[in-house]
Amino acid sequence: LVVIAIIGILSSVVLASLNTARGKGANAAVKSNLSNIRAMAELFYDSQSPNTYGTFALAACPTASVAVPGHMFVSATVVNAITAAKNAAGDTTNLNRCIASATAPGSWAASVPLKVNEGTFTTWCVDSTGASTGRATAITTSAC
């Protein structure tokens, strides 16, 4: 009985550690997908003449069916990366955000909720300045 009790205690400790690791792994996937968005944004910027990210703002990320020509957040690859980040986070409240400034062309930001909070951070954000940081809330402007 003592051996069975010890095995039970050890297995509960291992299972608790695995849940933490799963959450951290999902957060890493969110961060990776958002980093990919920054690289995609630079490719989009370089492909435009004149160079621009577009001047279109959205409270929530668009779907590929949104027809706004010449804006990076309508690019299917960017939408897919944001969707992947959202799915990795298990976002059921649709707090993923993509915002490009209409008044400051070239200024944009994207944020997605984290799977598990990292201290006070509940979302992860990347923007056109190269920032990649945690936030307590979803973005409301074109900067982290």
Side-chain angles (χ1 to χ4, degrees), residues 16-31:
S17 298
L18 286 177
N19 284 336
T20 302
R22 277 191 206 106
K24 288 182 179 180
N27 282 358
V30 168
K31 293 174 187 178

PDB file of all heavy atoms in Angstrom, residues 16-31:
ATOM      1  N   ALA A  16       0.751  17.530 -12.887  1.00  0.00           N
ATOM      2  CA  ALA A  16       0.677  18.975 -12.667  1.00  0.00           C
ATOM      3  C   ALA A  16       1.769  19.689 -13.458  1.00  0.00           C
ATOM      4  O   ALA A  16       1.538  20.751 -14.050  1.00  0.00           O
ATOM      5  CB  ALA A  16       0.802  19.284 -11.181  1.00  0.00           C
ATOM      6  N   SER A  17       2.958  19.127 -13.511  1.00  0.00           N
ATOM      7  CA  SER A  17       4.059  19.719 -14.277  1.00  0.00           C
ATOM      8  C   SER A  17       3.766  19.691 -15.769  1.00  0.00           C
ATOM      9  O   SER A  17       4.109  20.635 -16.488  1.00  0.00           O
ATOM     10  CB  SER A  17       5.358  18.962 -14.007  1.00  0.00           C
ATOM     11  OG  SER A  17       5.706  19.067 -12.652  1.00  0.00           O
ATOM     12  N   LEU A  18       3.131  18.637 -16.246  1.00  0.00           N
ATOM     13  CA  LEU A  18       2.814  18.536 -17.670  1.00  0.00           C
ATOM     14  C   LEU A  18       1.806  19.601 -18.099  1.00  0.00           C
ATOM     15  O   LEU A  18       1.904  20.148 -19.199  1.00  0.00           O
ATOM     16  CB  LEU A  18       2.280  17.146 -18.014  1.00  0.00           C
ATOM     17  CG  LEU A  18       3.318  16.022 -18.046  1.00  0.00           C
ATOM     18  CD1 LEU A  18       2.647  14.693 -18.326  1.00  0.00           C
ATOM     19  CD2 LEU A  18       4.395  16.302 -19.081  1.00  0.00           C
ATOM     20  N   ASN A  19       0.841  19.913 -17.255  1.00  0.00           N
ATOM     21  CA  ASN A  19      -0.136  20.950 -17.596  1.00  0.00           C
ATOM     22  C   ASN A  19       0.543  22.306 -17.743  1.00  0.00           C
ATOM     23  O   ASN A  19       0.227  23.078 -18.644  1.00  0.00           O
ATOM     24  CB  ASN A  19      -1.248  21.017 -16.548  1.00  0.00           C
ATOM     25  CG  ASN A  19      -2.221  19.874 -16.694  1.00  0.00           C
ATOM     26  OD1 ASN A  19      -2.349  19.297 -17.764  1.00  0.00           O
ATOM     27  ND2 ASN A  19      -2.894  19.529 -15.610  1.00  0.00           N
ATOM     28  N   THR A  20       1.483  22.608 -16.875  1.00  0.00           N
ATOM     29  CA  THR A  20       2.233  23.862 -16.969  1.00  0.00           C
ATOM     30  C   THR A  20       3.046  23.887 -18.255  1.00  0.00           C
ATOM     31  O   THR A  20       3.091  24.897 -18.956  1.00  0.00           O
ATOM     32  CB  THR A  20       3.160  24.021 -15.748  1.00  0.00           C
ATOM     33  OG1 THR A  20       2.370  23.977 -14.567  1.00  0.00           O
ATOM     34  CG2 THR A  20       3.924  25.321 -15.798  1.00  0.00           C
ATOM     35  N   ALA A  21       3.673  22.776 -18.585  1.00  0.00           N
ATOM     36  CA  ALA A  21       4.485  22.695 -19.798  1.00  0.00           C
ATOM     37  C   ALA A  21       3.624  22.863 -21.047  1.00  0.00           C
ATOM     38  O   ALA A  21       4.042  23.512 -22.009  1.00  0.00           O
ATOM     39  CB  ALA A  21       5.232  21.370 -19.843  1.00  0.00           C
ATOM     40  N   ARG A  22       2.427  22.301 -21.050  1.00  0.00           N
ATOM     41  CA  ARG A  22       1.515  22.458 -22.194  1.00  0.00           C
ATOM     42  C   ARG A  22       1.163  23.924 -22.402  1.00  0.00           C
ATOM     43  O   ARG A  22       1.140  24.415 -23.528  1.00  0.00           O
ATOM     44  CB  ARG A  22       0.236  21.646 -21.977  1.00  0.00           C
ATOM     45  CG  ARG A  22       0.356  20.215 -22.346  1.00  0.00           C
ATOM     46  CD  ARG A  22      -1.026  19.532 -22.374  1.00  0.00           C
ATOM     47  NE  ARG A  22      -0.841  18.140 -22.119  1.00  0.00           N
ATOM     48  CZ  ARG A  22      -1.143  17.513 -20.990  1.00  0.00           C
ATOM     49  NH1 ARG A  22      -1.678  18.165 -19.995  1.00  0.00           N
ATOM     50  NH2 ARG A  22      -0.913  16.236 -20.846  1.00  0.00           N
ATOM     51  N   GLY A  23       0.852  24.616 -21.338  1.00  0.00           N
ATOM     52  CA  GLY A  23       0.509  26.034 -21.433  1.00  0.00           C
ATOM     53  C   GLY A  23       1.672  26.862 -21.952  1.00  0.00           C
ATOM     54  O   GLY A  23       1.502  27.731 -22.814  1.00  0.00           O
ATOM     55  N   LYS A  24       2.880  26.584 -21.446  1.00  0.00           N
ATOM     56  CA  LYS A  24       4.055  27.314 -21.910  1.00  0.00           C
ATOM     57  C   LYS A  24       4.350  26.997 -23.373  1.00  0.00           C
ATOM     58  O   LYS A  24       4.786  27.868 -24.127  1.00  0.00           O
ATOM     59  CB  LYS A  24       5.263  26.982 -21.038  1.00  0.00           C
ATOM     60  CG  LYS A  24       5.180  27.598 -19.659  1.00  0.00           C
ATOM     61  CD  LYS A  24       6.417  27.287 -18.845  1.00  0.00           C
ATOM     62  CE  LYS A  24       6.320  27.939 -17.471  1.00  0.00           C
ATOM     63  NZ  LYS A  24       7.516  27.660 -16.659  1.00  0.00           N
ATOM     64  N   GLY A  25       4.119  25.769 -23.769  1.00  0.00           N
ATOM     65  CA  GLY A  25       4.307  25.388 -25.174  1.00  0.00           C
ATOM     66  C   GLY A  25       3.327  26.112 -26.091  1.00  0.00           C
ATOM     67  O   GLY A  25       3.695  26.574 -27.175  1.00  0.00           O
ATOM     68  N   ALA A  26       2.080  26.228 -25.647  1.00  0.00           N
ATOM     69  CA  ALA A  26       1.081  26.957 -26.436  1.00  0.00           C
ATOM     70  C   ALA A  26       1.448  28.435 -26.521  1.00  0.00           C
ATOM     71  O   ALA A  26       1.302  29.062 -27.575  1.00  0.00           O
ATOM     72  CB  ALA A  26      -0.309  26.781 -25.825  1.00  0.00           C
ATOM     73  N   ASN A  27       1.937  29.012 -25.432  1.00  0.00           N
ATOM     74  CA  ASN A  27       2.389  30.407 -25.463  1.00  0.00           C
ATOM     75  C   ASN A  27       3.542  30.583 -26.442  1.00  0.00           C
ATOM     76  O   ASN A  27       3.612  31.581 -27.162  1.00  0.00           O
ATOM     77  CB  ASN A  27       2.809  30.879 -24.073  1.00  0.00           C
ATOM     78  CG  ASN A  27       1.631  31.209 -23.187  1.00  0.00           C
ATOM     79  OD1 ASN A  27       0.472  31.131 -23.601  1.00  0.00           O
ATOM     80  ND2 ASN A  27       1.918  31.569 -21.950  1.00  0.00           N
ATOM     81  N   ALA A  28       4.462  29.623 -26.475  1.00  0.00           N
ATOM     82  CA  ALA A  28       5.580  29.696 -27.414  1.00  0.00           C
ATOM     83  C   ALA A  28       5.078  29.652 -28.853  1.00  0.00           C
ATOM     84  O   ALA A  28       5.609  30.352 -29.726  1.00  0.00           O
ATOM     85  CB  ALA A  28       6.560  28.559 -27.152  1.00  0.00           C
ATOM     86  N   ALA A  29       4.040  28.868 -29.114  1.00  0.00           N
ATOM     87  CA  ALA A  29       3.464  28.798 -30.460  1.00  0.00           C
ATOM     88  C   ALA A  29       2.840  30.136 -30.850  1.00  0.00           C
ATOM     89  O   ALA A  29       2.987  30.595 -31.982  1.00  0.00           O
ATOM     90  CB  ALA A  29       2.420  27.681 -30.538  1.00  0.00           C
ATOM     91  N   VAL A  30       2.141  30.789 -29.914  1.00  0.00           N
ATOM     92  CA  VAL A  30       1.550  32.101 -30.164  1.00  0.00           C
ATOM     93  C   VAL A  30       2.649  33.096 -30.523  1.00  0.00           C
ATOM     94  O   VAL A  30       2.563  33.827 -31.517  1.00  0.00           O
ATOM     95  CB  VAL A  30       0.748  32.592 -28.929  1.00  0.00           C
ATOM     96  CG1 VAL A  30       0.383  34.063 -29.066  1.00  0.00           C
ATOM     97  CG2 VAL A  30      -0.496  31.752 -28.734  1.00  0.00           C
ATOM     98  N   LYS A  31       3.706  33.129 -29.716  1.00  0.00           N
ATOM     99  CA  LYS A  31       4.805  34.072 -29.948  1.00  0.00           C
ATOM    100  C   LYS A  31       5.486  33.813 -31.285  1.00  0.00           C
ATOM    101  O   LYS A  31       5.844  34.749 -32.009  1.00  0.00           O
ATOM    102  CB  LYS A  31       5.812  33.981 -28.805  1.00  0.00           C
ATOM    103  CG  LYS A  31       5.254  34.457 -27.482  1.00  0.00           C
ATOM    104  CD  LYS A  31       6.239  34.200 -26.364  1.00  0.00           C
ATOM    105  CE  LYS A  31       5.643  34.513 -25.010  1.00  0.00           C
ATOM    106  NZ  LYS A  31       6.573  34.230 -23.910  1.00  0.00           N
TER     107      LYS A  31
END
